[in-house]
Amino acid sequence: MTHLNAPAQGSPDLSMRIEYWRAYPALSSPDVRHYGQPVALVVATTFEQARAAANLVDVEYAGAPGCYDFAACQDQTYAPDALIYGAIPPDTSVGDFDAGFDSAPVRIDVRYSTPYELSQPMEPHACLVVPHGEDLIVHVSTQIVDAARSSIVRTLLIDPERIHIITPYVGGGFGSKLRIHAETILAALAARALRRPVKVALTRQQMFHLTGLRPTSSQRVRLGAQRDGRLVAIAHEVTMHTNPRSDFIEPTAATTRSLYAAPNRLTSHRLTPLDLPRGEDVRAPGEAPGMLVVESAMDELADALGMDPVELRIRNEPTVDPEQGLPFSDRQLVDCLREGARRFGWERRPATPASVREGQWLVGYGMAAGIRGHIQVPTTAQVRLAADGTAVVQTDMTDIGTGTYTVLTQVAADGLGLPPDQVRVELGRSEYPVSMGSGGSWGAANSSTAVHRACQALREKLVAAARNDVRSALHGLDPAGAKFSDGIVSIDGVSEALSEIVARNYPDGVAADGQTPAMRDDPNYADYSIHTYGAHFAEVGVDADTAEIRLRRMLGVFSVGRVLNAKTARSQLIGGMIWGAGAALEEDAVVDLRSGAFVTRDLAQYLVPVHADIPEVDAVVLDGYDGKANVLGAKGLGELGICGAGAAVANAVFNATGVRVRDFPITLEKVLPGLPPLDD
Amino acid sequence: MRSFTYERATDAQAAVAAVSRPGAKFISGGTNLLDLMKLDIEQPGHLVDISRLPLRDIEELPDGGLRIGAQATNSDVAADPRVRTRYPVLSQALVSGASGQLRNKASTGGNLLQRTRCPYFYDTAAGCNKRNPGSGCSAIGGFNRIHAILGASDSCIATHPSDMAVAMTALQARIELLDADQSVRRVVITDFYRLPGETPHIETVLRPGEMITSVVLPPPPPGRQLYRKVRDRASYEFALVSVAAIVSAGQETIDEARVAFGGVAHQPWRSVEAEAALTGRPATMATYRAAAEAAMRDAVGQGHNDFKIELAKRTLCRTLAQLAWGAEEAR
Ligand SMILES: Cc1cc2nc3c(=O)[nH]c(=O)nc-3n(C[C@H](O)[C@H](O)[C@H](O)COP(=O)(O)OP(=O)(O)OC[C@H]3O[C@@H](n4cnc5c(N)ncnc54)[C@H](O)[C@@H]3O)c2cc1C
Ligand code: SF4
């Protein structure tokens, strides 16, 4: 199949606020927009045949000039005219930044750059489409079931009832599976045309051009401070690459708006169109590159002031959200900083950069603060109790290796007073109640809240039924005091088995729905600034001769409201911290400026940390409960671990060597020229 | 995926006979060849599997050297007590390469013949004289951070990725070859590899059909040995620059030195210039610096890899200093 015979497809509706639901046509035009774009799909009965046949396809391209060089194309930069994710203003300004900055006795004015980065989950993007009459059964690795269905429906121009998504286990996603890509549409088109099952899986190399990437960015940060460290002006101005036909904006400067107090403030996002694959969400979109840079710049300020970096941050702790003026729902950043400093032994930090040497190693400590907005999106779930007293939870929520099955089992077991083995969680099917899946760290908290609500509704139904049922021991008792525990419902010392109430009143079982509203329908999200926080600490060794940087230990202390599961939370946070370390030191998708091709196109060339790079890493979560966020008091944490983690590593490199690298990642050639000469 | 036929050789003589048909190739561990076949870079029509040939032994030689069978795995060689005590530089080089799983599979012969990691060599859509003679070199003027600073040509600036071969170069290993006509010859490793010149697709002096049967390590040269690999991450990563050094020093001066670099050229790079600058000189940093300058006198960067020149110098100096201090592995 090529553009010559591919069926007509819907085109993306760019006015849709959230892009994951848009149409994503493939092979729809002879125009190639970027290197690596599919030009043909070859289907065969075996994998080997398909590969062999694909090798025989000879493509002739008519060349045309392209813009691939971010630095060289800066003259095309423009201001976006839409809100980021349909919600976040690209630019904000408070007070008079210029005047404030000019008046500040201590000023930092620095420009940093961050590279193209990719999600690259271990499990590649893959889709199997099985036709069933007019219907298509779509087994696809996706983070949002409803979005996958919508995109297929809008692309294939097919009745939504005909598309059935099945994705009980997704594998990793990290943002790259929020929306579907060519693999899904090509499999669906081919399965429909051939009336046979068709599977399309991307190779690792293909993933580098076809599954989205984090935009490269250039970020200017200006910090103006009093000599005591108090900030009078903060500006964070970001330029990133985008696609000439449809903007993707990472909210890189957005959390800077809520981080530190300062009367004069400025943030902006600008876009430079390049003929490269389009930017998409990559784990912690915005905060990952943004906090990396802002928290590095704060370290520069601390250095300029001769002040302890922890102290500098504490001194600039705001009492209300510094841009919106809203109260914080639950802000424990200072606690994170203090607890982290204590546990890490921060007082042993070398006060002077490049002053500690242990044998071959220049040793340095670094720290950074972390912040991330908590997001609430509409989520529904259904909980059904069978007559035997077992519960089934259904939602089209996904488990991308994050432990959704585990967490929802706990929440439902808790909510109904059942042992966990009496609860079954069913996820990842388009027949189930709609959620926004896994993404933006919203999955666990949002779906847990919906499940909790469904359980609450079920409890009310059951207690009401028992109370009105003369056969029940609970007949006529006050339902307000009802307790659900170990499969027993009790009121004032009188009890009855949950299963008996269900069996008697609902022989076919009973279900209830639970919902989590969108932020705009929940007043708390207009009345409070709701975030999660962290403090990162890192120790690195830098080889005094070769500039090889090796992480020695890392600690993160976090405040995330209530933790739903200590083990899955810790694993997310540690994974995020490692991600941050990789972003600081290794990850870099390099573009060949002549062709627009990503050259570092496999995991041997695009480096991410391996075990040997990651020594002792610890994540500590402060006790907490954020009742403004939701009834469970839980907030998202999947991406928080990244926010600021890389900056702690980068700042440790500075502390070790006195070399400040403002072009990420910090590879050894950038540090080498600043190292001391070889000693005798 | 292209179709190919496969046979398992029963003895070395049969293997070389089998591989002399056009388009045929040996396969040992397959850790390099299979990857390249999947990517359509290598396109053999016939594979002769030599992995089960009885060439796995590491044999003591009367002169005090060792003969390593071509099928001895990288893990086995690295762990061999004789190698570890008499040729520590080789053991260190081996364990610094790839991963445990790969080393269990990778053979000595295959390691010597592994191909470059130049990203354009891996991209069948890019011009590459090594993969497709006459199609140009995309690395020149492209992304060339990992490329050569010594011995490169206008046709190719690739590096040889092996760690093992760098140590073997310092040890002046001899490679034993069996030809299709059943004749046997021995080539010193420094004569085995070729610089790219105008024919970067021809990487060694191996004749078509010739098989590596073993590698002979001469008796260990006097002095201490050290392999130092500099890389972007702590493990599972090829060398940006590596140094294999063997230094024998008396009270006053260095009696004898062997120096080989990895990651800097189309072949493991023995630096006779550095060796000469060390021999007979005092074991001081000034001497090491002079040796490093001598080693890199003709080095040329390609842009992204300019840093390798300074990095190679510093790595050599540090390695030599460590040897002098007697720190086998100060890391
Ligand atoms: C992820 C990864 C990381 C790696 N990292 C490193 C590293 O850090 N350092 C390093 O040095 N190496 C590294 N390697 C490379 C590895 O060492 C080689 O792939 C391995 O040594 C090749 O051995 P093999 O037996 O598998 O060769 P094969 O793949 O079987 O063969 C390679 C080539 O040698 C030829 N051949 C094999 N045996 C003979 C013989 N006896 N006579 C003639 N021709 C022969 C084959 O025809 C083929 O052309 C890495 C490899 C991978 C996949
Ligand atoms: S350096 Fe050699 S291997 Fe790389 S593109 Fe050029 S010719 Fe090919």
Side-chain angles (χ1 to χ4, degrees), chain A residues 604, chain B residues 25-35 42 50 70-71 74 96-99 102 105-115 117 161-164 206 210-213 229 231 236-239:
Chain B
K25 259 187 124 48
F26 293 121
I27 180 163
S28 289
T31 59
N32 191 221
L33 184 59
L34 287 182
D35 278 2
E42 297 268 20
I50 52 176
Q71 292 305 328
N74 290 180
S96 76
S99 66
L102 285 158
K105 202 74 187 123
S107 66
T108 302
N111 190 316
L112 287 170
L113 294 176
Q114 63 174 297
R115 308 204 66 191
R117 294 281 158 171
S162 171
D163 292 298
M164 180 193 82
L206 213 58
E210 223 170 3
M211 181 170 81
I212 300 173
T213 51
K229 177 173 179 178
R231 45 183 156 176
Y236 204 41
E237 174 62 354
F238 292 92

Side-chain angles (χ1 to χ4, degrees), chain A residues 35 47-48 51-53 55-56 205 357 360-361 543-550 585-586 588 590-592 594 597-610 612-613 667-669 672 675-680, chain B residues 1-3 37-40 117-120 122-123 125-126 137-143 145-146 228-238 240 284-286 289 304 307 310-311 313-315 317-318 322 325 330-331:
Chain A
Y35 191 99
F47 172 72
E48 290 77 13
R51 295 273 294 199
N55 272 338
L56 298 176
Q205 286 80 4
R357 184 162 177 165
Q360 251 333 83
W361 300 101
D543 188 293
D545 301 313
T546 63
E548 288 165 290
I549 301 166
R550 300 290 179 254
L585 302 179
E586 292 174 8
D588 190 5
V590 176
V591 179
D592 187 305
R594 301 162 301 185
F598 283 104
V599 189
T600 47
R601 204 185 299 169
D602 57 36
L603 296 179
Q605 317 259 0
Y606 181 84
L607 300 191
V608 297
V610 294
D613 291 320
T667 45
L668 59 79
E669 67 267 40
L672 200 59
L675 291 185
L678 287 168
D679 46 16
D680 294 306
Chain B
M1 184 64 74
R2 291 175 194 261
S3 358
M37 285 171 67
K38 288 181 196 164
L39 295 168
D40 208 34
R117 294 281 158 171
C118 169
Y120 299 99
Y122 272 77
D123 178 2
C137 172
S138 298
I140 297 174
F143 178 59
R145 182 170 179 269
I146 67 167
R228 173 69 164 97
K229 177 173 179 178
V230 181
R231 45 183 156 176
D232 280 317
R233 60 183 174 192
S235 168
Y236 204 41
E237 174 62 354
F238 292 92
L240 285 169
T284 62
M285 190 52 84
R289 275 206 199 96
H304 300 111
F307 72 95
E310 177 65 15
L311 184 62
K313 289 181 191 171
R314 294 179 72 110
T315 309
C317 290
R318 179 53 55 198
Q322 262 176 258
W325 294 333
R331 301 177 60 78

Side-chain angles (χ1 to χ4, degrees), chain A residues 355-365 539-542 544 552, chain B residues 330:
Chain A
S355 62
V356 173
R357 184 162 177 165
E358 287 174 16
Q360 251 333 83
W361 300 101
L362 306 172
V363 179
Y365 282 30
E539 178 183 336
V540 302
V542 181
R552 299 177 138 203

Side-chain angles (χ1 to χ4, degrees), chain B residues 116 118 120-121 127-130 136-139 147 155-158 200:
Chain B
T116 185
C118 169
Y120 299 99
F121 176 71
C128 168
N129 290 323
K130 185 183 281 300
C137 172
S138 298
H147 289 74
S155 299
C156 179
I157 58 171

Side-chain angles (χ1 to χ4, degrees), chain A residues 264-459:
Chain A
N264 305 293
R265 325 176 59 92
L266 184 75
T267 62
S268 69
H269 297 81
R270 296 289 176 270
L271 301 174
T272 308
L274 296 180
D275 298 301
L276 292 178
R278 186 168 170 278
E280 287 180 30
D281 294 296
V282 173
R283 200 173 182 193
E287 301 88 16
M291 295 298 295
L292 181 60
V293 168
V294 167
E295 285 295 288
S296 294
M298 280 295 280
D299 201 63
E300 298 205 47
L301 178 61
D303 186 55
L305 290 162
M307 194 169 177
D308 183 306
V310 172
E311 188 49 38
L312 174 65
R313 282 154 176 99
I314 293 175
R315 197 153 295 183
N316 286 291
E317 176 69 4
T319 49
V320 293
D321 186 290
E323 288 213 359
Q324 296 175 301
L326 295 172
F328 293 111
S329 61
D330 171 40
R331 179 168 166 127
Q332 298 188 52
L333 176 57
V334 171
D335 296 337
C336 293
L337 291 164
R338 293 221 159 98
E339 181 63 12
R342 188 185 69 75
R343 286 177 180 252
F344 196 72
W346 180 249
E347 71 282 358
R348 293 200 300 273
R349 161 185 179 261
T352 315
S355 62
V356 173
R357 184 162 177 165
E358 287 174 16
Q360 251 333 83
W361 300 101
L362 306 172
V363 179
Y365 282 30
M367 61 77 55
I371 179 172
R372 187 164 198 279
H374 170 69
I375 302 172
Q376 185 167 293
V377 290
T379 308
T380 56
Q382 186 182 73
V383 181
R384 169 174 289 275
L385 272 167
D388 64 358
T390 58
V392 176
V393 177
Q394 287 186 337
T395 162
D396 78 359
M397 171 66 188
T398 48
D399 189 329
I400 60 171
T402 42
T404 313
Y405 285 102
T406 307
V407 167
L408 295 188
T409 301
Q410 286 176 259
V411 170
D414 231 34
L416 294 172
L418 290 175
D421 62 2
Q422 306 248 38
V423 177
R424 192 169 78 239
V425 175
E426 297 182 345
L427 304 176
R429 274 180 178 262
S430 48
E431 281 69 30
Y432 298 159
V434 176
S435 74
M436 261 183 79
S438 306
S441 302
W442 59 60
N446 286 201
S447 57
S448 293
T449 303
V451 168
H452 179 82
R453 293 238 164 87
C455 292
Q456 241 174 351
L458 262 184
R459 286 162 70 136

